[in-house]
Amino acid sequence: MILAIAAESWRALGQNRLRAALTMLGMVIGVASVVLMLAIGQGTQTTVNQAIASMGSNLIVVVPGATTQGGVRLGAGTAGPLTVADAEAIAALPQIAEVAPMHSGALQVVYGPNNWGTNVYGVVPAFWRIRGWDIEAGDGFTESEVRSAARVAVLGKVVAENLFGAENPVGKTIRIRDLPFVVVGVLAPKGQNLDGRDQDDTVHVPLTTAQRQLFGMSVPGAIRFLVVQARSAEVMEQAQEEIRSLLRQRRRVAQGQEDDFTVRNLSAVAETAALSARTLSLTLGAIASISLVVGGIGIMNIMLVSVTERTREIGIRMAVGARRQDILAQFLLEAVLICTVGGLAGAVLGVAIAWILSETARMTVVVSLSAIALSFGFAAAIGVFFGLYPAQKAASLPPVEALRHE
């Protein structure tokens, strides 16, 4: 019975193909918009999640703070520098797993006729463990090479490609500030971090080499900042407070004075970024859903016109034995057919546009089956909701009056 009613509904739509196609167009655009917006939103969320994962877990960054001279605040980093001794003291705290002191600056790196401007970081091997950063080729340098201030370097993927192309960099010699450095390894790619900087556009050298031979030290053991890993996510706040209390004591910050350093919880920053990405995804989906509602209103309008045009037909059907529920089912199925066929076409269109954006604009878009199913199901629900009133109006027509309608 349902199949017969569905076939009759399809034939009825076929009698006004142009009108049915134009009515479907609203659903096509609506579903395509929902699929595309959700794909863009989920792509953004995926990009943020990848950036968060590349940072490492339970990270805290400590940097020098601001100083005030003559009532003028000079900005972050202008206070006395942190030192390797500070890093060693922090590493001894109960809630700290590892600490990596770092010294950095922008320098030109040269290999043969090729050169590349990049950020050079003086690090210790613990830095790669804290960041969960693998060595793709060769090896990292050792603690003994840090102690001896050896001229060795580990290249980021971008630097390796720009200096060496397809050539294997391991074992080759590069020059930094006219000093020779032997490349001992190449880092696995990490991509961009949360502030958009390319983490692969870096060179890592031993911390002591950076301090003594590349950048110098304003005070013995001076470093630019510290990367700290807490023992677990649950003790992050406690670890922050331990670091703050220790540094206030070591840097002789008087009671009531502001800290002359900054302790940043990168996990909190990551959570905020992830929340923003999720909110963006939901907002884009909600905005696109409005077009589905507009399309549904158009369907209801066309179905009401169809009921008026086919009033005499409805009367004849009732006169030959059609029940009110049969009339209701036919008109309701017509509305649902318009929405489902339009929804299917819209899903295909949305996926196609998402793929084009991914290939041409290099955008990260993620088309999920759940997003397609959600938009398709919403389209069917729109058909039922906005088709119900016209269907009820058709089913409630008195047979005698319907037969008299011209």
Side-chain angles (χ1 to χ4, degrees):
M1 186 66 178
I2 293 295
L3 291 176
I5 294 174
E8 183 61 32
S9 299
W10 186 255
R11 282 194 294 271
L13 290 174
Q15 292 174 359
N16 295 281
R17 293 175 184 171
L18 180 59
R19 184 168 68 186
L22 291 174
T23 307
M24 283 182 189
L25 187 59
M27 299 311 297
V28 171
I29 294 172
V31 172
S33 299
V34 172
V35 170
L36 182 60
M37 291 299 100
L38 287 178
I40 293 173
Q42 289 180 344
T44 302
Q45 192 168 339
T46 298
T47 301
V48 171
N49 289 339
Q50 289 172 346
I52 291 171
S54 73
M55 289 167 51
S57 59
N58 311 325
L59 295 188
I60 297 170
V61 173
V62 185
V63 297
T67 56
T68 302
Q69 293 183 4
V72 178
R73 291 182 64 80
L74 300 180
T78 55
L82 298 166
T83 65
V84 173
D86 292 330
E88 292 170 349
I90 291 172
L93 293 172
Q95 304 303 335
I96 303 304
E98 286 198 278
V99 178
M102 299 180 68
H103 209 49
S104 64
L107 293 173
Q108 206 74 11
V109 183
V110 180
Y111 173 70
N114 302 323
N115 68 92
W116 185 253
T118 187
N119 289 311
V120 178
Y121 289 88
V123 301
V124 295
F127 173 74
W128 300 316
R129 295 194 297 271
I130 291 173
R131 294 289 311 278
W133 208 334
D134 296 327
I135 307 293
E136 185 177 74
D139 295 299
F141 43 77
T142 63
E143 292 288 355
S144 63
E145 288 172 313
V146 173
R147 286 193 295 271
S148 63
R151 291 179 186 170
V152 292
V154 176
L155 308 183
K157 194 71 173 178
V158 170
V159 177
E161 290 173 352
N162 280 279
L163 289 183
F164 294 91
E167 185 181 354
N168 183 7
V170 178
K172 305 296 192 302
T173 299
I174 60 174
R175 301 189 72 81
I176 307 174
R177 279 200 168 172
D178 288 330
L179 298 175
F181 283 76
V182 177
V183 178
V184 295
V186 178
L187 292 163
K190 276 274 190 182
Q192 292 185 336
N193 59 15
L194 288 175
D195 61 7
R197 287 182 293 180
D198 192 346
Q199 299 177 91
D200 303 320
D201 191 3
T202 57
V203 173
H204 293 175
V205 300
L207 174 64
T208 48
T209 309
Q211 290 173 316
R212 301 170 190 173
Q213 303 179 41
L214 296 180
F215 304 116
M217 296 177 285
S218 55
V219 297
I223 55 175
R224 293 282 169 82
F225 57 97
L226 292 167
V227 179
V228 183
Q229 186 175 43
R231 294 194 179 277
S232 68
E234 290 73 22
V235 300
M236 286 289 285
E237 290 187 9
Q238 185 178 349
Q240 280 183 267
E241 191 53 41
E242 286 180 355
I243 293 169
R244 181 173 177 272
S245 177
L246 175 67
L247 288 181
R248 284 184 65 87
Q249 179 182 354
R250 289 183 58 84
R251 295 167 71 86
R252 295 181 175 83
V253 179
Q255 185 75 23
Q257 284 187 332
E258 291 185 5
D259 297 340
D260 63 350
F261 57 88
T262 302
V263 181
R264 297 173 183 164
N265 181 345
L266 292 190
S267 296
V269 174
E271 288 173 6
T272 301
L275 178 61
S276 299
R278 288 195 296 270
T279 302
L280 173 63
S281 181
L282 291 173
T283 301
L284 290 175
I287 292 172
S289 298
I290 295 173
S291 60
L292 278 176
V293 176
V294 174
I297 294 171
I299 289 172
M300 183 168 65
N301 182 46
I302 292 300
M303 292 305 297
L304 286 171
V305 172
S306 180
V307 169
T308 302
E309 290 179 347
R310 295 158 62 187
T311 300
R312 186 173 178 81
E313 175 193 329
I314 294 168
I316 293 172
R317 287 179 181 276
M318 288 183 173
V320 296
R323 298 169 299 174
R324 291 187 183 276
Q325 54 263 41
D326 296 332
I327 302 298
L328 176 69
Q330 179 183 345
F331 279 87
L332 191 57
L333 273 173
E334 286 183 24
V336 172
L337 279 172
I338 290 173
C339 286
T340 51
V341 174
L344 181 60
V348 173
L349 179 62
V351 171
I353 296 174
W355 180 82
I356 291 170
L357 285 176
S358 176
E359 293 298 316
T360 59
R362 300 299 176 187
M363 292 177 61
T364 301
V365 292
V366 178
V367 180
S368 63
L369 290 177
S370 60
I372 295 174
L374 176 65
S375 57
F376 194 73
F378 193 27
I382 288 286
V384 173
F385 182 80
F386 286 101
L388 189 59
Y389 174 69
Q392 285 179 333
K393 184 177 180 181
S396 63
L397 287 173
V400 176
E401 292 184 13
L403 284 169
R404 290 176 180 172
H405 188 271
E406 295 295 335

